[in-house]
Amino acid sequence: MEEKILPIALRNAIKYNGKANPKAVLGIFLSENPEYRSKAKEIMPIVEKVVEDVNKLSLDEIKKKLEELGEDTKKKEKKEKGLELPNVKDKVVMRFAPNPSGPLHIGHARAAVLNDYFVKKYGGKLILRLEDTDPKRVLPEAYDMIKEDLDWLGVKVDEVVIQSDRIELYYEYGRKLIEMGKAYVCDCNPEEFRELRNKGIPCKCRDRAVEDNLELWEKMLNGELENVAVRLKTDIKHKNPSIRDFPIFRIEKTPHPRTGDKYCVYPLMNFSVPVDDYLLGMTHVLRGKDHIVNTEKQAYIYKYFGWEMPEFIHYGILKIEDIVLSTSAMYKGIKEGLYEGWDDVRLGTLRALRRRGIKPEAIYEIMKRIGIKQADVKFSWENLYAINKGLIDKDARRFFFVWNPKKLVIENVDKKVLKLRMHPDRPEFGERELIFDGEVYVVGDELEENKMYRLMELFNIVVEKVDDIAYAKYHSDDFKIARKNKAKIIHWIPIKDSVKVKVLMPDGEIKEGFAEKDFAKVGVDDIIQFERFGFVRIDKKDDEIVCCYAHR
């Protein structure tokens, strides 16, 4: 059985920078040997032992061992075409344009990274444009938070443009469209207009004289009108009703966080965006394919002003599951006390991922790999974690941790002092000391009476009684006996000098327990690995050490 499992464990270790995962190895083994599926629980201890032995080897030793088994470990280099932009004539000008309604989340990272990547590849300029022309959706502190998030992500911003500083400019171009007869002020009831639009019938306002529209426009700007909008004249028979005479300005009397009540007429996205994209000299615009209709709407603005459109690249939707991404939902949860802040580990903000120990380089790399494909893509958290593991594993010291702890008393055995490496491949990290004196903590729900267990790196025991306190007897040192008895390998912490620990999990669970005494040496922001549990980042040190879970 070990001979069958070994090459799988070795290949898995190479794939993940020298550290095989027992569950992954078992899964591959069972898929290749389906006749053993009914015996998965019996096979798991064997897998764990093989993986434990493999993970003690260096990456070079793993490759050598696999070659001895007759497998080629040299990766065949793929000639992959790098990410490219179409029609690049000289230096590019690109933009990342979020709404400042909150900090950036993992979904924003795709556009931020790809724009930054192309500007660095071709040379040019990246503009951060904060699109804040809807006062109801602006969070004042988000202006700085977004800049901080981009800086952490490694995105270099060359210029910052804030749309609320450009309102007068939008008015200038809005007035021009009215003077050209390409836009008009509409005071129709919205439902009445929608009914006419859907039938392809122009409303009564469409043929109003330019002079009358300009008079109404001035009244709008002076705050004398309510419930009116400026509409762009398009094809009233267009096959897509949403494109027919869409609005480009609307009344909004909510005070703006930056300009107060200075303005009450604000441009809508399909007007301000093309005006800015042209005036700021955009050469290429990256956007999701859900914006294809917006691109068609904005083309009317370019046509009416005689402007050349930038190159538009529409990529597939990035589907991100299992995490909170809605800025409004996050903000509501923070205000109600459901979340402790924008960096709550249950959220999908970059701040939350940073707090968990996810490196910006990992996020940057996965977004490059996702690229600008037109097909929709399901975001893989496992792929992100694998990249991140490759970045943090080499520097992460190892410790034991037990949660939901139960006291275990082991009889008929002498005191033992173990010296374990802080890192299996980094002897320069030194050693940690575990002193076994007969009383330890183990994970509370792991023990059953009359069963044999292997205390990791120690010996075999047989549990005799499980109550508020569990009791066991020493059985033997030999690991082969543990395997023969299908003994589960469990972690343990000496009760004496143990360190109180709390781990915040992304699913909202809180794991409370103890770590070994040398864990007290860690510092805030350190990323370590709790063996057979996962990587964590040290968040706070007080009466207890608070950690944030990253991944396995």
Side-chain angles (χ1 to χ4, degrees):
M1 188 68 71
E2 285 187 20
E3 290 176 1
K4 290 182 178 181
I5 293 169
L6 180 59
I8 297 172
L10 292 167
R11 287 194 295 270
N12 190 256
I14 289 174
K15 185 176 179 181
Y16 295 107
N17 298 294
K19 295 299 165 194
N21 182 306
K23 288 183 181 177
V25 172
L26 177 64
I28 297 168
F29 174 79
L30 295 177
S31 67
E32 293 178 357
N33 303 275
E35 66 272 17
Y36 289 106
R37 288 188 183 278
S38 61
K39 298 182 180 179
K41 286 187 178 179
E42 300 169 25
I43 295 170
M44 190 58 179
I46 304 173
V47 170
E48 288 176 335
K49 171 61 173 84
V50 173
V51 167
E52 185 180 357
D53 291 342
V54 167
N55 288 352
K56 289 177 180 176
L57 303 173
S58 68
L59 198 54
D60 287 340
E61 290 171 330
I62 291 169
K63 290 178 180 178
K64 185 177 179 182
K65 205 166 188 66
L66 200 53
E67 287 168 357
E68 289 172 357
L69 296 175
E71 296 201 27
D72 184 8
T73 61
K74 292 179 181 177
K75 290 183 180 178
K76 293 178 181 178
E77 291 186 10
K78 292 181 183 178
K79 288 189 177 180
E80 292 186 6
K81 200 174 182 182
L83 290 173
E84 293 183 352
L85 286 176
N87 301 321
V88 176
K89 296 171 184 173
D90 194 2
K91 292 184 175 181
V92 300
V93 179
M94 304 182 73
R95 45 81 163 175
F96 174 59
N99 174 268
S101 58
L104 301 182
H105 57 62
I106 186 69
H108 291 119
R110 184 186 195 185
V113 164
L114 291 173
N115 278 288
D116 178 74
Y117 171 80
F118 286 124
V119 167
K120 287 173 179 172
K121 176 174 181 174
Y122 294 106
K125 180 165 71 171
L126 177 62
I127 295 172
L128 168 62
R129 189 170 71 216
L130 296 163
E131 299 189 342
D132 62 345
T133 56
D134 183 352
K136 297 192 300 297
R137 295 183 59 217
V138 174
L139 183 71
E141 54 266 39
Y143 293 93
D144 288 333
M145 294 169 87
I146 289 170
K147 295 173 190 174
E148 292 163 3
D149 290 341
L150 291 174
D151 186 56
W152 174 76
L153 194 55
V155 171
K156 182 181 179 294
V157 172
D158 298 296
E159 182 181 348
V160 178
V161 172
I162 302 175
Q163 286 193 328
S164 60
D165 290 340
R166 298 164 68 81
I167 299 295
E168 298 291 344
L169 183 148
Y170 304 133
Y171 288 172
E172 177 188 340
Y173 283 91
R175 170 181 280 275
K176 284 182 181 180
L177 286 172
I178 294 173
E179 290 172 341
M180 293 160 63
K182 300 298 186 183
Y184 62 94
V185 177
C186 179
D187 57 9
C188 292
N189 176 283
E191 289 185 10
E192 177 189 337
F193 178 84
R194 193 177 302 114
E195 188 176 335
L196 291 169
R197 182 199 66 182
N198 290 342
K199 293 177 182 177
I201 300 172
C203 75
K204 60 181 174 58
C205 307
R206 197 174 202 260
D207 293 328
R208 183 181 282 130
V210 169
E211 293 76 13
D212 294 338
N213 277 317
L214 288 172
E215 184 179 339
L216 290 171
W217 169 248
E218 291 302 325
K219 287 183 177 181
M220 282 179 69
L221 299 183
N222 293 332
E224 298 174 35
L225 298 179
E226 301 275 356
N227 303 317
V228 296
V230 177
R231 296 186 178 278
L232 190 73
K233 286 185 181 179
T234 63
D235 179 359
I236 201 67
K237 300 288 187 182
H238 195 286
K239 62 182 179 179
N240 184 342
S242 76
I243 294 178
R244 300 171 188 170
D245 285 20
F246 62 87
I248 57 174
F249 285 93
R250 69 7 184 147
I251 302 288
E252 177 56 67
K253 297 204 172 175
T254 303
H256 194 286
R258 297 184 75 250
T259 59
D261 57 4
K262 182 177 180 181
Y263 303 111
C264 64
V265 177
Y266 287 92
L268 289 157
M269 183 267 287
N270 281 313
F271 180 75
S272 61
V273 164
V275 169
D276 280 341
D277 282 349
Y278 174 75
L279 295 179
L280 296 171
M282 298 302 152
T283 62
H284 295 75
V285 173
L286 302 181
R287 51 175 34 164
K289 66 182 184 183
D290 53 323
H291 281 284
I292 287 175
V293 171
N294 289 327
T295 301
E296 189 173 354
K297 287 180 178 180
Q298 292 165 24
Y300 281 93
I301 306 290
Y302 285 93
K303 177 183 174 184
Y304 291 158
F305 285 124
W307 296 341
E308 183 180 350
M309 290 182 71
E311 189 78 33
F312 286 95
I313 297 97
H314 296 95
Y315 47 64
I317 306 302
L318 183 59
K319 299 174 182 176
I320 305 174
E321 300 175 351
D322 304 323
I323 206 151
V324 182
L325 292 178
S326 166
T327 305
S328 58
M330 289 188 239
Y331 187 54
K332 183 173 182 285
I334 291 168
K335 287 199 297 183
E336 293 175 353
L338 176 62
Y339 304 124
E340 57 181 283
W342 290 105
D343 63 353
D344 190 296
V345 296
R346 292 167 287 180
L347 303 179
T349 61
L350 297 186
R351 289 162 184 262
L353 295 174
R354 179 181 186 175
R355 188 179 175 201
R356 285 173 53 190
I358 307 299
K359 294 292 187 181
E361 297 89 345
I363 297 172
Y364 202 104
E365 177 60 27
I366 197 168
M367 293 308 170
K368 276 172 52 185
R369 293 184 188 181
I370 290 169
I372 52 176
K373 307 180 190 79
Q374 291 187 344
D376 292 349
V377 182
K378 183 178 179 181
F379 182 79
S380 170
W381 289 103
E382 291 308 314
N383 286 350
L384 173 64
Y385 297 156
I387 296 169
N388 197 64
K389 183 178 179 180
L391 296 170
I392 64 177
D393 183 69
K394 66 184 185 303
D395 296 316
R397 289 168 289 169
R398 271 54 167 175
F399 297 95
F400 287 176
F401 166 63
V402 299
W403 61 97
N404 186 24
K406 180 179 283 292
K407 182 178 178 180
L408 172 64
V409 178
I410 301 156
E411 301 168 351
N412 72 320
V413 64
D414 295 331
K415 178 178 178 179
K416 292 180 181 286
V417 178
L418 271 71
K419 298 283 188 178
L420 301 177
R421 278 189 177 186
M422 283 284 191
H423 193 290
D425 302 322
R426 304 288 296 273
E428 67 271 23
F429 282 11
E431 294 181 323
R432 58 198 219 264
E433 181 182 77
L434 281 84
I435 301 172
F436 173 82
D437 63 0
E439 294 186 352
V440 299
Y441 286 125
V442 295
V443 176
D445 57 1
E446 282 193 323
L447 301 180
E448 292 181 34
E449 293 181 0
N450 302 314
K451 284 193 71 172
M452 178 180 287
Y453 295 88
R454 173 81 180 184
L455 294 184
M456 192 170 183
E457 305 286 359
L458 199 54
F459 47 62
N460 309 320
I461 61 169
V462 175
V463 174
E464 296 187 323
K465 182 181 178 183
V466 178
D467 207 333
D468 291 340
I469 297 175
Y471 295 88
K473 283 192 174 179
Y474 166 81
H475 184 278
S476 53
D477 287 341
D478 196 342
F479 194 90
K480 290 180 182 177
I481 294 174
R483 261 186 298 171
K484 185 177 179 182
N485 286 272
K486 300 164 188 170
K488 183 178 180 181
I489 302 170
I490 61 174
H491 279 87
W492 55 280
I493 300 292
I495 291 178
K496 188 176 180 182
D497 298 325
S498 58
V499 177
K500 197 173 181 183
V501 174
K502 180 162 71 176
V503 180
L504 309 180
M505 305 295 288
D507 63 2
E509 185 180 0
I510 297 175
K511 303 269 191 185
E512 296 190 76
F514 295 95
E516 57 195 80
K517 65 179 177 66
D518 286 337
F519 184 62
K521 299 175 183 177
V522 298
V524 172
D525 283 335
D526 285 356
I527 297 174
I528 63 93
Q529 184 186 40
F530 283 139
E531 294 195 43
R532 300 176 69 227
F533 177 80
F535 293 91
V536 301
R537 178 192 150 273
I538 315 306
D539 194 56
K540 296 175 188 172
K541 286 188 71 174
D542 209 334
D543 295 336
E544 63 181 356
I545 299 178
V546 179
C547 306
C548 298
Y549 183 83
H551 49 76
R552 287 189 64 85

